[in-house]
Amino acid sequence: MKRTDGYLLDNRQTEAGERFDAFAALFDPTTFRHLEGFGIGPGWRCWEVGAGGTSVVSWLAKKVGPTGRVVATDIDTSRVAAAARPPVQVRVHDVGADEPPGEGFDLVHARLVLVHVPDRENALRSMVRALRPGGRLLVEDADPALQPLLCPDEHGPEQQLANRLRQGFRQLLADRGADLAYGRRLPRLLREAGLRQVEADAYFPVTSPACTALEAATVRQIRDQLVAAGHATDQDIDRHLANIAAGGMDLATAPMISAWGRKE
């Protein structure tokens, strides 16, 4: 991802670590299921794009072992730096603008990254170019436009407020160039990039402790931007955070669409 002054979800903010933990709890099982299906094992060379936190990188390192290689890249490596020991290499890298950090990878993976990248087309070409013939690409991204509600069961004022704040969050993302309908396009984009055996599925958590933790951390992280843009007042946000803490709402996430294919 290319850093700009307007980037909404900075890795260095305190809440970023809470968000990464929630993402791991929500989405690691889906990601790992797909990677296991590729047959990942000792000696594989992997590029983890926009690594953010350490959960996927550490899992990959265990799978590929000392004979393998895991290159973890991000525009801000502050959260993944702790994983930088063999076979893991951590590099500052902008997938939309920089050349790939190598070639001949058996696996390239990006999760919840490309939706935020201004030059997504170039990023995807770069990822495909980095694969060896027969290598696998797995791209997983959200599609907030497909399911825009934080509370799909909008049955009371607490849920109505939650959905209004979620609408504000989505607008902030769109204003910064995020493509809120990107996930659904992934199968076509992978085919157009020349990959074969393209498949896709989606995971849509409707309620869980991780959904609750993710929402609380996100709202705290973007609070100032929501207020400055007129999407909410401080009183709205305090009330929403109190509603979350009360534990009576079913909070969902946008569907995460996973698409994968093989390079010829």
Side-chain angles (χ1 to χ4, degrees), residues 99-241:
E99 288 297 309
E103 58 185 17
F105 288 103
D106 301 290
L107 168 71
V108 176
H109 172 243
R111 186 174 76 189
L112 305 176
V113 174
L114 296 189
V115 67
H116 299 288
V117 174
D119 195 345
R120 299 174 194 90
E121 292 183 8
N122 188 60
L124 191 58
R125 287 195 299 268
S126 178
M127 292 161 65
V128 172
R129 191 164 67 250
L131 288 168
R132 67 165 175 82
R136 306 297 292 264
L137 174 65
L138 172 63
V139 181
E140 302 180 293
D141 246 312
D143 195 314
L146 193 62
Q147 195 295 106
L149 301 178
L150 178 63
C151 296
D153 180 19
E154 190 183 82
H155 71 278
E158 295 89 351
Q159 290 75 19
Q160 292 168 0
L161 173 61
N163 286 339
R164 179 161 63 84
L165 295 184
R166 175 53 58 94
Q167 183 179 2
F169 176 38
R170 292 175 61 235
Q171 188 60 55
L172 290 176
L173 288 172
D175 290 345
R176 286 156 176 79
D179 182 348
L180 302 183
Y182 189 68
R184 72 191 72 179
R185 301 188 181 108
L186 286 172
R188 172 174 57 83
L189 294 175
L190 265 57
R191 285 194 301 272
E192 291 176 352
L195 298 186
R196 296 293 181 264
Q197 300 174 356
V198 172
E199 299 181 55
D201 62 17
Y203 175 59
F204 172 33
V206 175
T207 187
S208 78
C211 288
T212 301
L214 177 61
E215 174 63 10
T218 300
V219 169
R220 291 198 309 272
Q221 186 168 8
I222 65 169
R223 177 182 191 128
D224 291 345
Q225 293 95 324
L226 284 170
V227 173
H231 296 304
T233 65
D234 280 312
Q235 292 75 21
D236 289 334
I237 293 172
D238 287 341
R239 188 163 72 254
H240 179 52
L241 289 172

Side-chain angles (χ1 to χ4, degrees), residues 40-63:
I40 187 171
W44 274 47
R45 296 158 295 174
C46 307
W47 176 18
E48 180 66 15
V49 179
T54 62
S55 67
V56 176
V57 172
S58 297
W59 186 90
L60 289 171
K62 291 177 182 178
K63 288 293 182 179

